[in-house]
Structures are given as structure tokens and as C-alpha cells.
Amino acid sequence: MTSLVIAEHDNASIKTATLNTVTAAKACGGDVHVLVVGEGAAAAAAAAAQIAGVSKVIHADGASLKDGLAENVAAQVLAIVGSGAGNYSHILFPSTASGKNVAPRVAAKLDVAQISDITKVDSADTFERPIYAGNAIATVLTSMPSRSSQCVPPAMMQQMTLVARRPWKRRQPWPTAARAPLWAAK
């Protein structure tokens, strides 16, 4: 089982969101590969190689990747995944504007489920994500046999500790007297 992490970078360094995504990929189990897409991003690829737990860095360089357009990045991800070189079980994107733009395109082309904004990896097929504006946490079990695509929030570790700040409370039923229908005779 190998996970592919799509790196967020500024062509010189790796952004913090990528580090959180690598942490989630390590929790999925297996090797972690990082894909650095962009023109002139050799320094970012070298920085990605220094991340603990990363076993391989793939650097895609080209003029069409200069601006990081979602269509071009998605095509590059699909070319890497479609080549069968890594046999990836998970493809993880940082849950940033760029990651949320590319991830649905990749998931749709691969015909796999996308699980957005995961805050915890319980196992390779079980994840936790916030629902109801963060008031509740859903445990999601995927039944996808091979690949799934996830977006990991940039502040994943902080959200895991702050998630309990507003626990979801179940409302208690009204007292019996208050339940009397309005049309009841008095």
C-alpha cells in the first residue's frame, strides 16, 4: 500500500499543509510518495525529500505547470497514477483552495470516492471528518477496493484537538404537557 501526496509549494519551499497531509498518509500505512508539480520547483522537490517518512519524491516540471492550473495539475496526477508506477492506494491533497480544486477532478477521472476535510485517519479505510459546520464528527468507512482521494485540512493536528470545543448535544424532548395538540379542548 503506497500513498501519493500532492505537495503545496511556492517553488522554493514546501507549505505546512503538505506536512500535515504527509502525516495523514503515514497513518494510512505503507510508503509515502510526494508529487511536486510546477515549473522550476526543484528546490521544493529537494525540500520534500527531507520530510520524515517520505520514501520517494516525484518532480513534474514543465511550462504548462507554471501557474498551477487545476486542469494541468490533475492531468499530471492522472498521468503518474495511470502509469501504474506506484500502484497507489490513497491519493491525498492538502485541503487548501488548490487541493480542493484538483481533488474532485482526479477522483472523477479515476471513478473513486472523494472524502473531504478528514481530521483523523483511524485505519486505511476509516476516516473522521467534521459535519454540521464542525458540530459533529462523522466516521467514514470507504468501501473502495483500490484508491480513494482525500483532502486533509491544513491545520489537521490542531483540529483534532479543538474538535471537542463545541460538542454536539441532542435535544431533550419537551415535557408531556407541552406536547398537547393545539386543537385540543381546554
Side-chain angles (χ1 to χ4, degrees):
M1 245 178 25
T2 305
S3 298
L4 178 64
V5 173
I6 314 307
E8 285 272 333
H9 60 87
D10 59 4
N11 287 347
S13 63
I14 297 294
K15 296 194 176 181
T16 308
T18 303
L19 302 177
N20 293 331
T21 308
V22 168
T23 301
K26 288 192 292 188
C28 289
D31 291 337
V32 177
H33 295 179
V34 175
L35 174 61
V36 179
V37 178
E39 183 180 34
Q50 302 301 319
I51 300 172
V54 172
S55 59
K56 181 178 179 181
V57 175
I58 304 164
H59 178 210
D61 195 348
S64 66
L65 304 171
K66 177 182 177 185
D67 297 321
L69 294 175
E71 293 82 1
N72 297 339
V73 173
Q76 189 62 49
V77 172
L78 292 168
I80 299 289
V81 172
S83 69
N87 194 19
Y88 298 110
S89 59
H90 298 80
I91 304 169
L92 292 95
F93 298 83
S95 187
T96 58
S98 176
K100 287 184 176 185
N101 198 3
V102 178
R105 298 168 196 272
V106 172
K109 289 284 189 177
L110 293 175
D111 194 27
V112 296
Q114 175 184 330
I115 304 170
S116 296
D117 299 328
I118 63 171
T119 55
K120 183 178 177 187
V121 177
D122 291 334
S123 67
D125 62 350
T126 308
F127 310 94
E128 289 184 7
R129 63 179 304 273
I131 58 173
Y132 300 120
N135 290 321
I137 303 299
T139 300
V140 180
L141 175 66
T142 180
S143 61
M144 295 302 292
S146 57
R147 297 183 197 106
S148 60
S149 173
Q150 291 94 17
C151 287
V152 180
M156 184 179 97
M157 296 304 148
Q158 290 84 357
Q159 283 192 7
M160 285 174 30
T161 57
L162 295 177
V163 141
R165 72 184 184 279
R166 288 186 290 164
W168 186 61
K169 294 181 181 177
R170 184 174 169 216
R171 291 188 179 203
Q172 297 298 322
W174 290 96
T176 314
R179 284 195 198 169
L182 296 175
W183 48 266
K186 293 185 182 183

